[in-house]
Amino acid sequence: MAPTYLLPRQIRANGGEKLPQRRNPPGGEFNPETNTFMTWRNRLTALVVDSESFCRMLEKSFLSAYGVETEDVESGSAAFELIQGGATFDLIVINPHLCGISGIETARLLRNMGVQSRIVGSSAMYVEEERSCFLRAGGDHYVEKPFGPHLFIPILQQLDNQ
């Protein structure tokens, strides 16, 4: 029998009945490495570059939940070091408002290094001038935070050749 989930107003109407316990997937706790919303033909990888740790965590969790192996760094210089060390990614998500080297400059430098990854700018403040600067610097897309499946699934499908 499937569990019954009640809204808070329904709980009050039922005299304070408690919500049923949330069930984890078979086998125990939820693990974003093995319990994903989608599967891909190819192994997809991503790098999240954001100076805000909370944003990095959210973006990494989102991409991991959709089956993308994701790493994160807090600065453009850390992204350069990772890529110069031989790391490759299908997708790089960059916040244009990075501390130190800006996200726009990060995108430009990555392209000058010969990086062929899809580069997406992700900003909480959508400004058309900033968007056009990011795209001229070598970015492929520019989206407003918070991003969701409707923005990234088409990009991931293109990367997976679907």
Side-chain angles (χ1 to χ4, degrees):
M1 183 171 141
T4 304
Y5 292 97
L6 303 173
L7 298 172
R9 69 176 179 275
Q10 293 170 313
I11 294 170
R12 287 189 296 274
N14 291 334
E17 179 184 331
K18 292 183 179 178
L19 284 173
Q21 291 294 317
R22 181 176 171 189
R23 293 187 181 183
N24 289 317
E29 294 295 316
F30 179 79
N31 178 349
E33 301 297 322
T34 57
N35 304 106
T36 61
F37 296 126
M38 298 187 78
T39 56
W40 306 102
R41 291 184 201 147
N42 302 298
R43 177 181 163 256
L44 296 180
T45 58
L47 174 64
V48 174
V49 186
D50 200 316
S51 52
E52 293 292 327
S53 61
F54 183 72
C55 292
R56 277 196 321 273
M57 185 264 311
L58 285 177
E59 292 169 4
K60 183 177 180 177
S61 296
F62 171 82
L63 290 166
S64 295
Y66 278 87
V68 180
E69 293 177 29
T70 308
E71 291 188 45
D72 64 288
V73 294
E74 63 183 19
S75 67
S77 57
F80 301 135
E81 288 176 23
L82 196 59
I83 290 170
Q84 285 176 335
T88 59
F89 302 95
D90 300 302
L91 175 66
I92 301 175
V93 181
I94 303 174
N95 180 345
H97 306 283
L98 294 175
C99 297
I101 302 170
S102 75
I104 294 170
E105 190 60 24
T106 298
R108 180 177 289 112
L109 292 171
L110 288 173
R111 288 296 187 221
N112 289 342
M113 289 172 61
V115 171
Q116 298 297 311
S117 306
R118 183 78 51 98
I119 298 178
V120 177
S122 176
S123 176
M125 299 177 294
Y126 186 94
V127 178
E128 184 58 36
E129 182 180 335
E130 185 177 86
R131 176 189 169 278
S132 58
C133 285
F134 187 85
L135 296 176
R136 281 195 310 271
D140 298 298
H141 303 280
Y142 190 88
V143 298
E144 187 174 12
K145 291 180 185 177
F147 62 78
H150 67 286
L151 295 172
F152 270 86
I153 287 178
I155 294 170
L156 296 173
Q157 287 173 328
Q158 289 173 355
L159 290 171
D160 197 40
N161 298 317
Q162 291 188 22

PDB file of all heavy atoms in Angstrom, residues 71 81-89:
ATOM      1  N   GLU A  71      32.150  18.101 -10.491  1.00  0.00           N
ATOM      2  CA  GLU A  71      33.138  18.641  -9.562  1.00  0.00           C
ATOM      3  C   GLU A  71      32.836  20.117  -9.391  1.00  0.00           C
ATOM      4  O   GLU A  71      32.177  20.726 -10.238  1.00  0.00           O
ATOM      5  CB  GLU A  71      34.558  18.463 -10.106  1.00  0.00           C
ATOM      6  CG  GLU A  71      35.000  17.018 -10.143  1.00  0.00           C
ATOM      7  CD  GLU A  71      36.463  16.885 -10.499  1.00  0.00           C
ATOM      8  OE1 GLU A  71      37.286  17.644  -9.936  1.00  0.00           O
ATOM      9  OE2 GLU A  71      36.762  16.040 -11.343  1.00  0.00           O
ATOM     10  N   GLU A  81      43.606  25.633 -12.918  1.00  0.00           N
ATOM     11  CA  GLU A  81      44.531  24.636 -12.378  1.00  0.00           C
ATOM     12  C   GLU A  81      44.021  23.226 -12.640  1.00  0.00           C
ATOM     13  O   GLU A  81      44.789  22.343 -13.033  1.00  0.00           O
ATOM     14  CB  GLU A  81      44.727  24.841 -10.881  1.00  0.00           C
ATOM     15  CG  GLU A  81      45.544  26.056 -10.526  1.00  0.00           C
ATOM     16  CD  GLU A  81      45.635  26.267  -9.019  1.00  0.00           C
ATOM     17  OE1 GLU A  81      45.467  25.292  -8.255  1.00  0.00           O
ATOM     18  OE2 GLU A  81      45.862  27.423  -8.613  1.00  0.00           O
ATOM     19  N   LEU A  82      42.736  23.026 -12.418  1.00  0.00           N
ATOM     20  CA  LEU A  82      42.133  21.706 -12.628  1.00  0.00           C
ATOM     21  C   LEU A  82      42.253  21.290 -14.092  1.00  0.00           C
ATOM     22  O   LEU A  82      42.652  20.162 -14.403  1.00  0.00           O
ATOM     23  CB  LEU A  82      40.666  21.757 -12.185  1.00  0.00           C
ATOM     24  CG  LEU A  82      39.919  20.471 -11.959  1.00  0.00           C
ATOM     25  CD1 LEU A  82      40.593  19.617 -10.900  1.00  0.00           C
ATOM     26  CD2 LEU A  82      38.487  20.783 -11.537  1.00  0.00           C
ATOM     27  N   ILE A  83      41.940  22.196 -14.990  1.00  0.00           N
ATOM     28  CA  ILE A  83      41.964  21.879 -16.416  1.00  0.00           C
ATOM     29  C   ILE A  83      43.399  21.754 -16.925  1.00  0.00           C
ATOM     30  O   ILE A  83      43.702  20.867 -17.728  1.00  0.00           O
ATOM     31  CB  ILE A  83      41.131  22.915 -17.197  1.00  0.00           C
ATOM     32  CG1 ILE A  83      39.655  22.697 -16.849  1.00  0.00           C
ATOM     33  CG2 ILE A  83      41.375  22.814 -18.697  1.00  0.00           C
ATOM     34  CD1 ILE A  83      38.710  23.757 -17.318  1.00  0.00           C
ATOM     35  N   GLN A  84      44.303  22.600 -16.445  1.00  0.00           N
ATOM     36  CA  GLN A  84      45.713  22.469 -16.826  1.00  0.00           C
ATOM     37  C   GLN A  84      46.290  21.151 -16.325  1.00  0.00           C
ATOM     38  O   GLN A  84      47.217  20.616 -16.927  1.00  0.00           O
ATOM     39  CB  GLN A  84      46.528  23.644 -16.296  1.00  0.00           C
ATOM     40  CG  GLN A  84      46.302  24.911 -17.071  1.00  0.00           C
ATOM     41  CD  GLN A  84      47.044  26.103 -16.476  1.00  0.00           C
ATOM     42  OE1 GLN A  84      47.347  26.134 -15.281  1.00  0.00           O
ATOM     43  NE2 GLN A  84      47.309  27.088 -17.316  1.00  0.00           N
ATOM     44  N   GLY A  85      45.731  20.617 -15.250  1.00  0.00           N
ATOM     45  CA  GLY A  85      46.160  19.326 -14.712  1.00  0.00           C
ATOM     46  C   GLY A  85      45.635  18.148 -15.506  1.00  0.00           C
ATOM     47  O   GLY A  85      45.900  17.000 -15.164  1.00  0.00           O
ATOM     48  N   GLY A  86      44.840  18.408 -16.544  1.00  0.00           N
ATOM     49  CA  GLY A  86      44.369  17.331 -17.413  1.00  0.00           C
ATOM     50  C   GLY A  86      42.897  16.986 -17.282  1.00  0.00           C
ATOM     51  O   GLY A  86      42.393  16.124 -18.001  1.00  0.00           O
ATOM     52  N   ALA A  87      42.187  17.625 -16.383  1.00  0.00           N
ATOM     53  CA  ALA A  87      40.755  17.335 -16.225  1.00  0.00           C
ATOM     54  C   ALA A  87      39.992  17.872 -17.436  1.00  0.00           C
ATOM     55  O   ALA A  87      40.311  18.940 -17.962  1.00  0.00           O
ATOM     56  CB  ALA A  87      40.219  17.975 -14.956  1.00  0.00           C
ATOM     57  N   THR A  88      39.013  17.108 -17.888  1.00  0.00           N
ATOM     58  CA  THR A  88      38.151  17.545 -18.982  1.00  0.00           C
ATOM     59  C   THR A  88      36.699  17.427 -18.541  1.00  0.00           C
ATOM     60  O   THR A  88      36.352  16.556 -17.737  1.00  0.00           O
ATOM     61  CB  THR A  88      38.369  16.717 -20.262  1.00  0.00           C
ATOM     62  OG1 THR A  88      38.103  15.338 -19.967  1.00  0.00           O
ATOM     63  CG2 THR A  88      39.790  16.864 -20.786  1.00  0.00           C
ATOM     64  N   PHE A  89      35.864  18.310 -19.073  1.00  0.00           N
ATOM     65  CA  PHE A  89      34.452  18.340 -18.710  1.00  0.00           C
ATOM     66  C   PHE A  89      33.617  18.574 -19.958  1.00  0.00           C
ATOM     67  O   PHE A  89      34.039  19.283 -20.869  1.00  0.00           O
ATOM     68  CB  PHE A  89      34.187  19.464 -17.695  1.00  0.00           C
ATOM     69  CG  PHE A  89      34.994  19.324 -16.442  1.00  0.00           C
ATOM     70  CD1 PHE A  89      36.203  19.992 -16.295  1.00  0.00           C
ATOM     71  CD2 PHE A  89      34.583  18.491 -15.420  1.00  0.00           C
ATOM     72  CE1 PHE A  89      36.969  19.852 -15.157  1.00  0.00           C
ATOM     73  CE2 PHE A  89      35.345  18.341 -14.272  1.00  0.00           C
ATOM     74  CZ  PHE A  89      36.537  19.017 -14.143  1.00  0.00           C
TER      75      PHE A  89
END
